[in-house]
Amino acid sequence: MRILLTGSAGFVGSHLGERLLEDGHEVVGADNYISGQRRNTAFLEDYPAFEALEADVSHAIAYQGPALDWVMHFASPASPPHYQKHPIETLMVGAQGTQNALVLAREHRAKFMLASTSEVYGDPLEHPQVETYWGNVNPIGIRGCYDEAKRYAEAITMAYHRTHGLDTRIIRIFNTYGPRMRADDGRVVTNFINQALAGEPLTVYGDGSQTRSFQYVSDLVEGIVRLMGVVHHEPVNLGNPDEYTIQAFAEIIRNRIAPAAEIRHLPMPQDDPKQRRPDITKARALLGWEPVTPLEQGLEATIAYFSKLLETAL
Ligand code: NAD
Ligand code: UDP
């Protein structure tokens, strides 16, 4: 198949692009590097079936090549510090970027996949989060630019499906980690690992009682590929139901890397969700999928990646 993937220089995009290329597909990767990395594109350029298209997909996707079978829209800043630094660009890539990707899919009679997020549930009042829950989002808070962009992106995807019969998929990705994240990404996994590797205090926001559930990237990619093979237009949660408090998670990483490191408490950011855990009943039934990578194993690979980056920087 020929697949146009937006956000291919990002963390998830580079792993997904690599898997699609390994599976024998052709991939056109569109990215403007607002939060991605050129070193991630370099992984994909090892494959002759990869083509890079440097473009701001909110402006236009100037693709002129052969017919596409899929348009997969993964472009968007995803870490809270990144999207809060670029709130307008984040809203635009969820709105105009999604529409441009949908128009392209329609022109090519291609299938379409949207990378949505557990953030559509906001600070959830239902726990765990099941796809039928509508969420609890503050539209004007500092996370609103991301949450509302993704909620709009889901709405316009369903509108193209209902109005034009476009064959669409929506995945709601829960916290995912692994190699090829940016060291300065600002998300909790990269912060804790890089702080511990540098012998600095690990920064826990608030009292650390808020929870998250961490999925290793290869499990996410497997779920995405399985959903490509199934016709289902409503959102599907993809995440790991193993839930940790952030305090416990800091202790796990500290104890692995630097047992003597301090855990320092900093103020809790506004609207930070207090709990998050996916209900993956739907993905289990529909895709025969569930995460298989234990936290220990995923952390080992991620720590090894960042240790190597640090060594090469020295
Ligand atoms: P990332 O920031 O590493 O990657 C996003 C990529 O999109 C970057 O390469 C960035 O440069 C590119 N991009 C952003 N705006 C663009 C634009 N206008 N035009 C072209 N390219 C643009 O983030 P990620 O973690 O890889 O996330 C990928 C997708 O998955 C995002 O849509 C994100 O919302 C979603 N998601 C990720 C997670 C997670 O835990 N990683 C969780 C939920 C949802
Ligand atoms: N967090 C933290 N210290 C950090 C970075 C994040 O305590 O250095 C917390 C953050 O407040 C949130 C959780 O870890 O409760 C996950 O944050 P992240 O930015 O990774 O993603 P989110 O799930 O909030 O989008």
Side-chain angles (χ1 to χ4, degrees):
M1 293 192 291
R2 191 164 172 83
I3 301 163
L4 188 134
L5 170 64
T6 74
S8 54
F11 158 54
V12 174
S14 74
H15 286 278
L16 175 59
E18 192 170 33
R19 167 68 188 268
L20 296 171
L21 289 159
E22 281 290 331
D23 286 352
H25 305 301
E26 296 171 1
V27 175
V28 180
D31 208 293
N32 70 347
Y33 296 97
I34 191 170
S35 58
Q37 305 185 91
R38 292 195 185 270
R39 68 158 69 97
N40 288 347
T41 302
F43 285 111
L44 303 178
E45 280 171 339
D46 284 346
Y47 296 83
F50 177 73
E51 210 175 291
L53 175 71
E54 190 156 341
D56 179 342
V57 301
S58 302
H59 182 61
I61 311 179
Y63 173 76
Q64 302 289 352
L68 296 167
D69 300 291
W70 276 92
V71 175
M72 304 182 75
H73 184 43
F74 280 65
S76 172
S79 113
H82 286 165
Y83 64 67
Q84 285 161 26
K85 187 173 168 204
H86 302 289
I88 296 170
E89 290 86 347
T90 302
L91 280 155
M92 285 180 69
V93 77
Q96 287 96 321
T98 304
Q99 186 158 19
N100 289 339
L102 285 161
V103 167
L104 183 67
R106 199 172 164 230
E107 279 169 7
H108 285 256
R109 294 191 168 79
K111 295 176 179 142
F112 176 86
M113 183 181 285
L114 172 70
S116 185
T117 169
S118 53
E119 279 286 319
V120 298
Y121 302 120
D123 188 6
L125 304 177
E126 283 187 17
H127 193 71
Q129 292 77 54
V130 69
E131 288 89 346
T132 47
Y133 176 51
W134 291 352
N136 176 39
V137 170
N138 174 2
I140 58 164
I142 55 173
R143 299 174 83 103
C145 60
Y146 182 67
D147 301 10
E148 296 295 5
K150 292 290 189 180
R151 289 166 69 96
Y152 174 88
E154 289 196 6
I156 195 170
T157 299
M158 290 307 293
Y160 267 72
H161 167 64
R162 292 190 181 111
T163 307
H164 298 302
L166 201 69
D167 191 358
T168 54
R169 311 279 185 282
I170 298 173
I171 50 169
R172 291 185 179 153
I173 305 172
F174 284 66
N175 297 65
T176 305
Y177 71 99
R180 305 188 195 168
M181 297 177 84
R182 289 173 65 128
D184 63 354
D185 185 279
R187 286 182 271 195
V188 70
V189 179
T190 39
N191 272 9
F192 286 174
I193 289 178
N194 285 291
Q195 288 161 346
L197 286 173
E200 292 168 2
L202 280 70
T203 54
V204 169
Y205 303 157
D207 64 5
S209 63
Q210 71 271 33
T211 68
R212 293 294 186 274
S213 311
F214 298 100
Q215 161 176 246
Y216 190 62
V217 64
S218 58
D219 288 332
L220 170 64
V221 167
E222 181 62 31
I224 293 170
V225 169
R226 288 192 191 199
L227 187 60
M228 291 171 79
V230 170
V231 179
H232 186 85
H233 305 297
E234 297 198 340
V236 179
N237 287 342
L238 291 177
N240 190 321
D242 280 349
E243 184 180 4
Y244 298 84
T245 66
I246 294 301
Q247 177 71 28
F249 191 63
E251 286 165 11
I252 290 170
I253 293 186
R254 180 197 52 188
N255 294 346
R256 272 194 84 99
I257 302 177
E262 179 195 345
I263 291 180
R264 185 173 293 170
H265 289 262
L266 298 180
M268 186 74 152
Q270 188 197 338
D271 294 339
D272 199 293
K274 286 181 267 312
Q275 52 183 355
R276 183 179 294 151
R277 172 156 62 98
D279 180 317
I280 59 166
T281 308
K282 191 198 263 195
R284 278 200 176 104
L286 189 68
L287 311 175
W289 172 91
E290 63 182 4
V292 295
T293 312
L295 183 68
E296 285 295 298
Q297 193 183 319
L299 283 181
E300 193 177 310
T302 311
I303 293 167
Y305 171 82
F306 285 110
S307 304
K308 199 164 164 213
L309 269 192
L310 270 181
E311 275 168 29
T312 46
L314 291 177

